[in-house]
Amino acid sequence: MTGISVEATERGAWTVLSVHGPINSYTFNELQEKTTLHAGRVDMAVDLSGVSSMTSAGIGVLLAAIEDAETAGKRFYVIAPSEVARLAIESTGFAERFPTLPSIKELPV
Amino acid sequence: MPLIAPPSRRKTPHEPTAAERTARSRVRLYPCAAIFDEYDGFIRSLGFLRGRESAMLIVAGDEVLDNLITHGEISAAGVCVLVRRRRSGLTLAFFVDSHREFGEFARSVGDHAGARPRFDQREGRWHGLGLTMCGNIASSVSYRPGDLVDRVFLGFDG
């Protein structure tokens, strides 16, 4: 899978972006477009369970979305990151900046 | 000499074989959108990696590739990737045709060693984030520019 797919769905008060594929300098624009559309406007969660790899290009997009959400007083969660996505987040040294839930079912009402 | 090794010397199912201890594999990748899939597939195909090692090599290696691509440092000749296991640990190495920007980058890494990543509001992007990620995953990272070939070496403790 060379590209990524980013599917947006509504789940109660939340907009959930489900990402599948590798996030890197070739593909991050698609994620950035979707997060820019929603971040800071609605409560947003990004499901990373289908992410096969993630570079700092993807980390940067998530950090920007988190900052937009915080600035606007909206909620933001990373959901069920795959092993490589979790390792990429941990490797930044500031994983605490990424509010994470193990499952989409754990999203608060 | 006893025919049966004492319990402390017997191999467990998880103990690497002699071949696994010194295994190595290489691949050449070319600059295109599929390069990350090809690299990740190569890493996942290596039978001598254990536990989280595949994930570590994928995250750190993708980061190196992303930087080489972003700065236009992979020529049509591609990039050679080598993974080697020794008793002391794993080495992940990248070899690319020499590029002026790589030398400048390698020198700047030394100048900014230990610096935290920072967000450039004007450019709208992070600086040093990939370096930090590689540095936190690998036990050693070195960038070695050359007249013909530039090299990146990442070491992972065994």
Short mmCIF file of all heavy atoms in Angstrom, two decimals, chain A residues 33-105:
data_model
loop_
_atom_site.label_atom_id
_atom_site.label_comp_id
_atom_site.label_asym_id
_atom_site.label_seq_id
_atom_site.Cartn_x
_atom_site.Cartn_y
_atom_site.Cartn_z
N GLU A 33 -4.79 17.48 5.35
CA GLU A 33 -6.02 18.10 4.84
C GLU A 33 -7.21 17.76 5.71
O GLU A 33 -8.03 18.64 6.04
CB GLU A 33 -6.28 17.62 3.40
CG GLU A 33 -5.38 18.27 2.37
CD GLU A 33 -5.53 17.63 1.00
OE1 GLU A 33 -6.52 16.88 0.81
OE2 GLU A 33 -4.66 17.86 0.15
N LYS A 34 -7.31 16.50 6.11
CA LYS A 34 -8.46 16.07 6.91
C LYS A 34 -8.39 16.63 8.34
O LYS A 34 -9.40 17.04 8.89
CB LYS A 34 -8.54 14.54 6.96
CG LYS A 34 -8.82 13.90 5.60
CD LYS A 34 -10.28 14.00 5.24
CE LYS A 34 -10.57 13.49 3.84
NZ LYS A 34 -10.27 12.09 3.63
N THR A 35 -7.21 16.63 8.91
CA THR A 35 -7.12 17.13 10.29
C THR A 35 -7.34 18.64 10.32
O THR A 35 -7.99 19.16 11.23
CB THR A 35 -5.76 16.81 10.93
OG1 THR A 35 -4.71 17.33 10.12
CG2 THR A 35 -5.57 15.33 11.13
N THR A 36 -6.84 19.35 9.31
CA THR A 36 -7.03 20.80 9.26
C THR A 36 -8.51 21.14 9.15
O THR A 36 -8.98 22.13 9.70
CB THR A 36 -6.26 21.39 8.07
OG1 THR A 36 -4.88 21.05 8.19
CG2 THR A 36 -6.39 22.91 8.03
N LEU A 37 -9.24 20.28 8.45
CA LEU A 37 -10.67 20.49 8.25
C LEU A 37 -11.43 20.39 9.57
O LEU A 37 -12.41 21.11 9.79
CB LEU A 37 -11.19 19.42 7.27
CG LEU A 37 -12.53 19.65 6.58
CD1 LEU A 37 -12.49 20.90 5.71
CD2 LEU A 37 -12.89 18.43 5.75
N HIS A 38 -10.99 19.51 10.47
CA HIS A 38 -11.76 19.22 11.68
C HIS A 38 -11.13 19.73 12.97
O HIS A 38 -11.86 20.06 13.91
CB HIS A 38 -11.97 17.70 11.80
CG HIS A 38 -12.72 17.10 10.66
ND1 HIS A 38 -14.07 17.29 10.48
CD2 HIS A 38 -12.32 16.34 9.62
CE1 HIS A 38 -14.48 16.66 9.39
NE2 HIS A 38 -13.43 16.07 8.85
N ALA A 39 -9.80 19.75 13.04
CA ALA A 39 -9.14 20.06 14.31
C ALA A 39 -9.48 21.46 14.78
O ALA A 39 -9.41 22.42 14.01
CB ALA A 39 -7.63 19.92 14.16
N GLY A 40 -9.87 21.56 16.04
CA GLY A 40 -10.21 22.87 16.61
C GLY A 40 -11.65 23.27 16.35
O GLY A 40 -12.13 24.27 16.89
N ARG A 41 -12.33 22.53 15.49
CA ARG A 41 -13.74 22.84 15.20
C ARG A 41 -14.69 21.86 15.90
O ARG A 41 -15.79 22.22 16.27
CB ARG A 41 -14.00 22.79 13.69
CG ARG A 41 -13.26 23.87 12.92
CD ARG A 41 -13.62 23.84 11.43
NE ARG A 41 -13.06 24.98 10.73
CZ ARG A 41 -11.85 25.01 10.22
NH1 ARG A 41 -11.07 23.96 10.33
NH2 ARG A 41 -11.40 26.09 9.60
N VAL A 42 -14.23 20.63 16.03
CA VAL A 42 -15.03 19.58 16.67
C VAL A 42 -14.12 18.75 17.58
O VAL A 42 -12.89 18.84 17.48
CB VAL A 42 -15.66 18.63 15.61
CG1 VAL A 42 -16.68 19.38 14.76
CG2 VAL A 42 -14.58 18.02 14.75
N ASP A 43 -14.73 17.94 18.43
CA ASP A 43 -13.94 16.96 19.18
C ASP A 43 -13.48 15.90 18.19
O ASP A 43 -14.30 15.37 17.42
CB ASP A 43 -14.80 16.32 20.28
CG ASP A 43 -15.14 17.31 21.38
OD1 ASP A 43 -14.35 18.25 21.60
OD2 ASP A 43 -16.21 17.16 22.01
N MET A 44 -12.19 15.60 18.19
CA MET A 44 -11.65 14.74 17.14
C MET A 44 -10.80 13.61 17.71
O MET A 44 -10.07 13.79 18.68
CB MET A 44 -10.79 15.57 16.18
CG MET A 44 -10.38 14.81 14.93
SD MET A 44 -9.61 15.89 13.72
CE MET A 44 -7.94 15.92 14.29
N ALA A 45 -10.92 12.45 17.09
CA ALA A 45 -10.06 11.32 17.44
C ALA A 45 -9.45 10.78 16.16
O ALA A 45 -10.11 10.79 15.11
CB ALA A 45 -10.88 10.23 18.13
N VAL A 46 -8.20 10.36 16.24
CA VAL A 46 -7.52 9.80 15.07
C VAL A 46 -7.16 8.35 15.37
O VAL A 46 -6.34 8.08 16.26
CB VAL A 46 -6.26 10.62 14.71
CG1 VAL A 46 -5.59 10.03 13.47
CG2 VAL A 46 -6.61 12.07 14.46
N ASP A 47 -7.80 7.44 14.66
CA ASP A 47 -7.56 6.01 14.84
C ASP A 47 -6.33 5.61 14.03
O ASP A 47 -6.35 5.65 12.80
CB ASP A 47 -8.80 5.24 14.39
CG ASP A 47 -8.70 3.74 14.65
OD1 ASP A 47 -7.56 3.24 14.81
OD2 ASP A 47 -9.74 3.08 14.69
N LEU A 48 -5.27 5.22 14.74
CA LEU A 48 -4.00 4.87 14.07
C LEU A 48 -3.76 3.36 14.06
O LEU A 48 -2.64 2.92 13.82
CB LEU A 48 -2.82 5.57 14.77
CG LEU A 48 -2.81 7.10 14.76
CD1 LEU A 48 -1.57 7.62 15.49
CD2 LEU A 48 -2.85 7.65 13.34
N SER A 49 -4.80 2.58 14.30
CA SER A 49 -4.61 1.12 14.36
C SER A 49 -4.20 0.54 13.01
O SER A 49 -3.57 -0.52 12.95
CB SER A 49 -5.87 0.43 14.88
OG SER A 49 -6.97 0.70 14.03
N GLY A 50 -4.54 1.23 11.91
CA GLY A 50 -4.20 0.71 10.59
C GLY A 50 -2.97 1.34 9.97
O GLY A 50 -2.72 1.16 8.77
N VAL A 51 -2.20 2.04 10.78
CA VAL A 51 -1.02 2.73 10.25
C VAL A 51 0.17 1.76 10.20
O VAL A 51 0.57 1.20 11.21
CB VAL A 51 -0.68 3.96 11.11
CG1 VAL A 51 0.68 4.53 10.75
CG2 VAL A 51 -1.76 5.02 10.93
N SER A 52 0.72 1.57 9.00
CA SER A 52 1.82 0.60 8.85
C SER A 52 3.17 1.21 9.16
O SER A 52 4.12 0.48 9.48
CB SER A 52 1.82 0.03 7.43
OG SER A 52 1.90 1.08 6.48
N SER A 53 3.30 2.52 9.06
CA SER A 53 4.55 3.21 9.48
C SER A 53 4.24 4.69 9.59
O SER A 53 3.28 5.18 8.99
CB SER A 53 5.68 2.96 8.47
OG SER A 53 5.36 3.51 7.22
N MET A 54 5.06 5.40 10.36
CA MET A 54 4.80 6.83 10.54
C MET A 54 6.12 7.56 10.81
O MET A 54 6.84 7.23 11.75
CB MET A 54 3.83 7.07 11.69
CG MET A 54 3.49 8.54 11.88
SD MET A 54 1.99 8.83 12.85
CE MET A 54 2.50 8.30 14.47
N THR A 55 6.41 8.55 9.99
CA THR A 55 7.63 9.34 10.19
C THR A 55 7.27 10.65 10.91
O THR A 55 6.11 10.90 11.22
CB THR A 55 8.30 9.67 8.84
OG1 THR A 55 7.47 10.60 8.13
CG2 THR A 55 8.52 8.42 8.01
N SER A 56 8.27 11.49 11.08
CA SER A 56 8.04 12.77 11.76
C SER A 56 7.07 13.65 10.98
O SER A 56 6.47 14.56 11.56
CB SER A 56 9.37 13.49 11.98
OG SER A 56 10.04 13.69 10.75
N ALA A 57 6.90 13.39 9.68
CA ALA A 57 5.91 14.15 8.91
C ALA A 57 4.52 13.94 9.50
O ALA A 57 3.74 14.88 9.64
CB ALA A 57 5.95 13.72 7.45
N GLY A 58 4.21 12.70 9.85
CA GLY A 58 2.92 12.40 10.47
C GLY A 58 2.83 12.90 11.89
O GLY A 58 1.78 13.39 12.33
N ILE A 59 3.93 12.78 12.62
CA ILE A 59 3.96 13.29 14.00
C ILE A 59 3.67 14.78 14.01
O ILE A 59 2.91 15.28 14.84
CB ILE A 59 5.36 13.02 14.63
CG1 ILE A 59 5.61 11.51 14.77
CG2 ILE A 59 5.47 13.73 15.97
CD1 ILE A 59 4.85 10.83 15.86
N GLY A 60 4.26 15.51 13.07
CA GLY A 60 4.05 16.95 12.98
C GLY A 60 2.59 17.30 12.73
O GLY A 60 2.06 18.26 13.31
N VAL A 61 1.93 16.52 11.88
CA VAL A 61 0.50 16.76 11.61
C VAL A 61 -0.32 16.55 12.88
O VAL A 61 -1.20 17.35 13.20
CB VAL A 61 0.01 15.81 10.49
CG1 VAL A 61 -1.50 15.89 10.35
CG2 VAL A 61 0.67 16.16 9.17
N LEU A 62 -0.03 15.48 13.60
CA LEU A 62 -0.78 15.20 14.83
C LEU A 62 -0.55 16.29 15.88
O LEU A 62 -1.49 16.74 16.54
CB LEU A 62 -0.37 13.84 15.41
CG LEU A 62 -0.77 12.61 14.59
CD1 LEU A 62 -0.25 11.34 15.25
CD2 LEU A 62 -2.28 12.53 14.42
N LEU A 63 0.70 16.73 16.01
CA LEU A 63 0.99 17.78 16.99
C LEU A 63 0.26 19.08 16.66
O LEU A 63 -0.26 19.77 17.55
CB LEU A 63 2.50 18.03 17.06
CG LEU A 63 3.32 16.98 17.81
CD1 LEU A 63 4.82 17.19 17.57
CD2 LEU A 63 3.02 17.03 19.31
N ALA A 64 0.19 19.40 15.37
CA ALA A 64 -0.53 20.62 14.96
C ALA A 64 -2.01 20.49 15.28
O ALA A 64 -2.65 21.44 15.75
CB ALA A 64 -0.32 20.85 13.46
N ALA A 65 -2.57 19.30 15.04
CA ALA A 65 -3.99 19.07 15.32
C ALA A 65 -4.27 19.16 16.83
O ALA A 65 -5.28 19.72 17.26
CB ALA A 65 -4.42 17.71 14.79
N ILE A 66 -3.35 18.61 17.62
CA ILE A 66 -3.50 18.66 19.07
C ILE A 66 -3.48 20.11 19.55
O ILE A 66 -4.29 20.54 20.37
CB ILE A 66 -2.40 17.83 19.76
CG1 ILE A 66 -2.62 16.34 19.51
CG2 ILE A 66 -2.34 18.12 21.26
CD1 ILE A 66 -1.44 15.46 19.85
N GLU A 67 -2.56 20.88 18.98
CA GLU A 67 -2.44 22.29 19.37
C GLU A 67 -3.70 23.07 18.98
O GLU A 67 -4.20 23.88 19.76
CB GLU A 67 -1.20 22.90 18.73
CG GLU A 67 -0.82 24.23 19.34
CD GLU A 67 0.56 24.67 18.91
OE1 GLU A 67 1.51 23.90 19.11
OE2 GLU A 67 0.68 25.77 18.35
N ASP A 68 -4.20 22.81 17.78
CA ASP A 68 -5.43 23.49 17.33
C ASP A 68 -6.59 23.16 18.27
O ASP A 68 -7.40 24.02 18.61
CB ASP A 68 -5.79 23.06 15.90
CG ASP A 68 -4.86 23.67 14.88
OD1 ASP A 68 -4.09 24.59 15.24
OD2 ASP A 68 -4.88 23.23 13.71
N ALA A 69 -6.69 21.88 18.66
CA ALA A 69 -7.77 21.45 19.54
C ALA A 69 -7.65 22.14 20.90
O ALA A 69 -8.64 22.66 21.44
CB ALA A 69 -7.75 19.93 19.70
N GLU A 70 -6.44 22.16 21.43
CA GLU A 70 -6.23 22.79 22.74
C GLU A 70 -6.57 24.28 22.70
O GLU A 70 -7.20 24.81 23.61
CB GLU A 70 -4.78 22.59 23.20
CG GLU A 70 -4.48 21.16 23.62
CD GLU A 70 -3.01 20.93 23.94
OE1 GLU A 70 -2.19 21.84 23.65
OE2 GLU A 70 -2.69 19.86 24.46
N THR A 71 -6.14 24.93 21.65
CA THR A 71 -6.38 26.37 21.51
C THR A 71 -7.88 26.66 21.46
O THR A 71 -8.35 27.66 22.02
CB THR A 71 -5.70 26.91 20.23
OG1 THR A 71 -4.30 26.62 20.32
CG2 THR A 71 -5.91 28.40 20.08
N ALA A 72 -8.62 25.79 20.80
CA ALA A 72 -10.06 26.01 20.62
C ALA A 72 -10.90 25.39 21.74
O ALA A 72 -12.13 25.49 21.71
CB ALA A 72 -10.50 25.44 19.28
N GLY A 73 -10.24 24.74 22.70
CA GLY A 73 -10.98 24.11 23.80
C GLY A 73 -11.72 22.86 23.37
O GLY A 73 -12.74 22.50 23.97
N LYS A 74 -11.24 22.19 22.33
CA LYS A 74 -11.86 20.95 21.86
C LYS A 74 -11.04 19.76 22.35
O LYS A 74 -9.86 19.88 22.67
CB LYS A 74 -11.95 20.93 20.33
CG LYS A 74 -12.80 22.03 19.75
CD LYS A 74 -14.26 21.87 20.16
CE LYS A 74 -15.12 22.97 19.54
NZ LYS A 74 -16.52 22.86 19.98
N ARG A 75 -11.69 18.59 22.35
CA ARG A 75 -11.01 17.38 22.80
C ARG A 75 -10.32 16.68 21.63
O ARG A 75 -10.79 16.77 20.49
CB ARG A 75 -12.00 16.44 23.48
CG ARG A 75 -12.57 17.02 24.77
CD ARG A 75 -13.62 16.12 25.38
NE ARG A 75 -14.83 16.06 24.58
CZ ARG A 75 -15.91 15.32 24.90
NH1 ARG A 75 -15.91 14.60 26.01
NH2 ARG A 75 -16.97 15.31 24.12
N PHE A 76 -9.24 15.98 21.95
CA PHE A 76 -8.48 15.26 20.90
C PHE A 76 -7.90 13.99 21.50
O PHE A 76 -7.33 14.00 22.59
CB PHE A 76 -7.33 16.13 20.37
CG PHE A 76 -6.54 15.47 19.26
CD1 PHE A 76 -6.81 15.77 17.93
CD2 PHE A 76 -5.55 14.54 19.53
CE1 PHE A 76 -6.11 15.16 16.90
CE2 PHE A 76 -4.84 13.91 18.51
CZ PHE A 76 -5.12 14.23 17.19
N TYR A 77 -8.05 12.87 20.78
CA TYR A 77 -7.43 11.62 21.21
C TYR A 77 -6.81 10.88 20.02
O TYR A 77 -7.34 10.93 18.91
CB TYR A 77 -8.46 10.69 21.86
CG TYR A 77 -8.79 11.05 23.29
CD1 TYR A 77 -9.99 11.68 23.59
CD2 TYR A 77 -7.91 10.75 24.31
CE1 TYR A 77 -10.30 12.01 24.90
CE2 TYR A 77 -8.22 11.09 25.62
CZ TYR A 77 -9.41 11.72 25.92
OH TYR A 77 -9.71 12.05 27.21
N VAL A 78 -5.72 10.22 20.30
CA VAL A 78 -5.18 9.21 19.39
C VAL A 78 -5.76 7.88 19.85
O VAL A 78 -5.78 7.58 21.04
CB VAL A 78 -3.64 9.17 19.46
CG1 VAL A 78 -3.09 7.93 18.76
CG2 VAL A 78 -3.04 10.43 18.86
N ILE A 79 -6.25 7.08 18.88
CA ILE A 79 -6.90 5.82 19.23
C ILE A 79 -6.06 4.63 18.75
O ILE A 79 -5.65 4.58 17.59
CB ILE A 79 -8.30 5.72 18.57
CG1 ILE A 79 -9.16 6.92 18.96
CG2 ILE A 79 -8.99 4.42 18.94
CD1 ILE A 79 -9.56 6.98 20.40
N ALA A 80 -5.82 3.71 19.65
CA ALA A 80 -5.25 2.39 19.34
C ALA A 80 -4.09 2.43 18.33
O ALA A 80 -4.16 1.77 17.28
CB ALA A 80 -6.35 1.46 18.81
N PRO A 81 -3.04 3.18 18.61
CA PRO A 81 -1.94 3.23 17.63
C PRO A 81 -1.32 1.85 17.41
O PRO A 81 -1.14 1.09 18.36
CB PRO A 81 -0.94 4.19 18.27
CG PRO A 81 -1.27 4.20 19.73
CD PRO A 81 -2.74 3.96 19.82
N SER A 82 -1.00 1.55 16.16
CA SER A 82 -0.31 0.30 15.84
C SER A 82 1.06 0.31 16.51
O SER A 82 1.52 1.35 17.02
CB SER A 82 -0.14 0.17 14.33
OG SER A 82 0.68 1.23 13.85
N GLU A 83 1.75 -0.83 16.49
CA GLU A 83 3.04 -0.92 17.19
C GLU A 83 4.03 0.14 16.67
O GLU A 83 4.70 0.81 17.45
CB GLU A 83 3.64 -2.31 17.02
CG GLU A 83 4.95 -2.47 17.79
CD GLU A 83 5.59 -3.83 17.58
OE1 GLU A 83 5.31 -4.47 16.55
OE2 GLU A 83 6.39 -4.24 18.46
N VAL A 84 4.12 0.30 15.34
CA VAL A 84 5.08 1.26 14.80
C VAL A 84 4.61 2.70 15.07
O VAL A 84 5.44 3.58 15.33
CB VAL A 84 5.35 1.05 13.30
CG1 VAL A 84 6.16 -0.19 13.07
CG2 VAL A 84 4.08 1.04 12.49
N ALA A 85 3.31 2.94 15.03
CA ALA A 85 2.82 4.30 15.32
C ALA A 85 3.09 4.65 16.78
O ALA A 85 3.50 5.77 17.09
CB ALA A 85 1.32 4.39 15.01
N ARG A 86 2.88 3.68 17.67
CA ARG A 86 3.13 3.92 19.09
C ARG A 86 4.61 4.18 19.35
O ARG A 86 4.98 5.10 20.07
CB ARG A 86 2.65 2.72 19.92
CG ARG A 86 2.63 2.98 21.42
CD ARG A 86 1.99 1.84 22.19
NE ARG A 86 2.76 0.61 22.08
CZ ARG A 86 2.33 -0.48 21.45
NH1 ARG A 86 1.15 -0.48 20.87
NH2 ARG A 86 3.08 -1.56 21.38
N LEU A 87 5.45 3.39 18.68
CA LEU A 87 6.89 3.58 18.85
C LEU A 87 7.33 4.94 18.30
O LEU A 87 8.19 5.61 18.89
CB LEU A 87 7.66 2.44 18.16
CG LEU A 87 9.17 2.48 18.26
CD1 LEU A 87 9.63 2.47 19.72
CD2 LEU A 87 9.78 1.29 17.53
N ALA A 88 6.76 5.33 17.17
CA ALA A 88 7.10 6.64 16.60
C ALA A 88 6.72 7.76 17.58
O ALA A 88 7.49 8.70 17.80
CB ALA A 88 6.38 6.83 15.27
N ILE A 89 5.55 7.65 18.18
CA ILE A 89 5.11 8.66 19.16
C ILE A 89 6.02 8.66 20.38
O ILE A 89 6.48 9.70 20.85
CB ILE A 89 3.64 8.41 19.56
CG1 ILE A 89 2.71 8.77 18.39
CG2 ILE A 89 3.27 9.20 20.81
CD1 ILE A 89 1.27 8.33 18.59
N GLU A 90 6.33 7.46 20.89
CA GLU A 90 7.20 7.37 22.07
C GLU A 90 8.59 7.93 21.78
O GLU A 90 9.23 8.52 22.64
CB GLU A 90 7.33 5.91 22.50
CG GLU A 90 6.06 5.33 23.13
CD GLU A 90 6.15 3.82 23.33
OE1 GLU A 90 7.19 3.22 22.97
OE2 GLU A 90 5.18 3.25 23.81
N SER A 91 9.04 7.75 20.56
CA SER A 91 10.42 8.14 20.23
C SER A 91 10.61 9.64 20.17
O SER A 91 11.74 10.13 20.13
CB SER A 91 10.85 7.51 18.91
OG SER A 91 10.14 8.09 17.83
N THR A 92 9.51 10.41 20.15
CA THR A 92 9.66 11.87 20.13
C THR A 92 10.19 12.38 21.46
O THR A 92 10.75 13.48 21.53
CB THR A 92 8.30 12.56 19.88
OG1 THR A 92 7.40 12.23 20.95
CG2 THR A 92 7.71 12.13 18.54
N GLY A 93 9.96 11.60 22.52
CA GLY A 93 10.39 12.05 23.85
C GLY A 93 9.32 12.86 24.55
O GLY A 93 9.49 13.25 25.70
N PHE A 94 8.21 13.13 23.87
CA PHE A 94 7.10 13.83 24.53
C PHE A 94 5.77 13.15 24.19
O PHE A 94 4.82 13.80 23.74
CB PHE A 94 7.08 15.33 24.25
CG PHE A 94 7.41 15.74 22.84
CD1 PHE A 94 6.41 15.81 21.88
CD2 PHE A 94 8.70 16.05 22.48
CE1 PHE A 94 6.70 16.19 20.58
CE2 PHE A 94 9.00 16.43 21.17
CZ PHE A 94 8.01 16.50 20.22
N ALA A 95 5.74 11.87 24.46
CA ALA A 95 4.53 11.08 24.20
C ALA A 95 3.35 11.58 25.03
O ALA A 95 2.19 11.37 24.65
CB ALA A 95 4.80 9.61 24.50
N GLU A 96 3.65 12.25 26.15
CA GLU A 96 2.55 12.74 26.99
C GLU A 96 1.73 13.81 26.29
O GLU A 96 0.63 14.13 26.72
CB GLU A 96 3.11 13.27 28.33
CG GLU A 96 3.87 14.59 28.26
CD GLU A 96 5.30 14.43 27.74
OE1 GLU A 96 5.73 13.29 27.50
OE2 GLU A 96 5.99 15.46 27.58
N ARG A 97 2.27 14.36 25.20
CA ARG A 97 1.52 15.36 24.43
C ARG A 97 0.41 14.72 23.59
O ARG A 97 -0.42 15.42 23.02
CB ARG A 97 2.47 16.14 23.49
CG ARG A 97 3.43 17.05 24.17
CD ARG A 97 2.75 18.36 24.65
NE ARG A 97 2.34 19.21 23.56
CZ ARG A 97 1.11 19.71 23.42
NH1 ARG A 97 0.17 19.43 24.30
NH2 ARG A 97 0.80 20.51 22.42
N PHE A 98 0.44 13.38 23.49
CA PHE A 98 -0.52 12.68 22.64
C PHE A 98 -1.52 11.92 23.52
O PHE A 98 -1.24 10.80 23.95
CB PHE A 98 0.20 11.67 21.73
CG PHE A 98 1.19 12.30 20.78
CD1 PHE A 98 2.46 12.67 21.22
CD2 PHE A 98 0.85 12.51 19.45
CE1 PHE A 98 3.37 13.24 20.35
CE2 PHE A 98 1.77 13.09 18.57
CZ PHE A 98 3.02 13.46 19.03
N PRO A 99 -2.67 12.53 23.83
CA PRO A 99 -3.66 11.81 24.62
C PRO A 99 -4.10 10.55 23.87
O PRO A 99 -4.53 10.66 22.71
CB PRO A 99 -4.81 12.81 24.77
CG PRO A 99 -4.39 14.06 24.11
CD PRO A 99 -3.15 13.81 23.35
N THR A 100 -3.97 9.41 24.49
CA THR A 100 -4.20 8.14 23.76
C THR A 100 -5.21 7.27 24.49
O THR A 100 -5.20 7.18 25.71
CB THR A 100 -2.86 7.39 23.63
OG1 THR A 100 -1.92 8.24 22.95
CG2 THR A 100 -3.03 6.10 22.82
N LEU A 101 -6.07 6.63 23.71
CA LEU A 101 -7.02 5.66 24.23
C LEU A 101 -6.81 4.33 23.52
O LEU A 101 -6.47 4.31 22.33
CB LEU A 101 -8.46 6.13 24.01
CG LEU A 101 -8.91 7.37 24.80
CD1 LEU A 101 -10.30 7.81 24.36
CD2 LEU A 101 -8.91 7.07 26.30
N PRO A 102 -7.02 3.21 24.22
CA PRO A 102 -6.77 1.91 23.61
C PRO A 102 -7.82 1.50 22.60
O PRO A 102 -7.58 0.63 21.76
CB PRO A 102 -6.75 0.95 24.79
CG PRO A 102 -7.56 1.64 25.85
CD PRO A 102 -7.36 3.10 25.64
N SER A 103 -9.00 2.09 22.68
CA SER A 103 -10.08 1.66 21.79
C SER A 103 -11.04 2.83 21.55
O SER A 103 -11.20 3.71 22.41
CB SER A 103 -10.85 0.49 22.42
OG SER A 103 -12.11 0.35 21.84
N ILE A 104 -11.69 2.79 20.42
CA ILE A 104 -12.66 3.83 20.09
C ILE A 104 -13.83 3.80 21.06
O ILE A 104 -14.51 4.80 21.29
CB ILE A 104 -13.11 3.66 18.62
CG1 ILE A 104 -13.69 4.97 18.09
CG2 ILE A 104 -14.10 2.54 18.48
CD1 ILE A 104 -13.84 4.98 16.60
N LYS A 105 -14.05 2.62 21.65
CA LYS A 105 -15.15 2.48 22.62
C LYS A 105 -14.89 3.26 23.89
O LYS A 105 -15.79 3.49 24.69
CB LYS A 105 -15.36 1.00 22.95
CG LYS A 105 -15.83 0.17 21.79
CD LYS A 105 -15.87 -1.30 22.16
CE LYS A 105 -16.25 -2.14 20.95
NZ LYS A 105 -16.09 -3.57 21.20
#
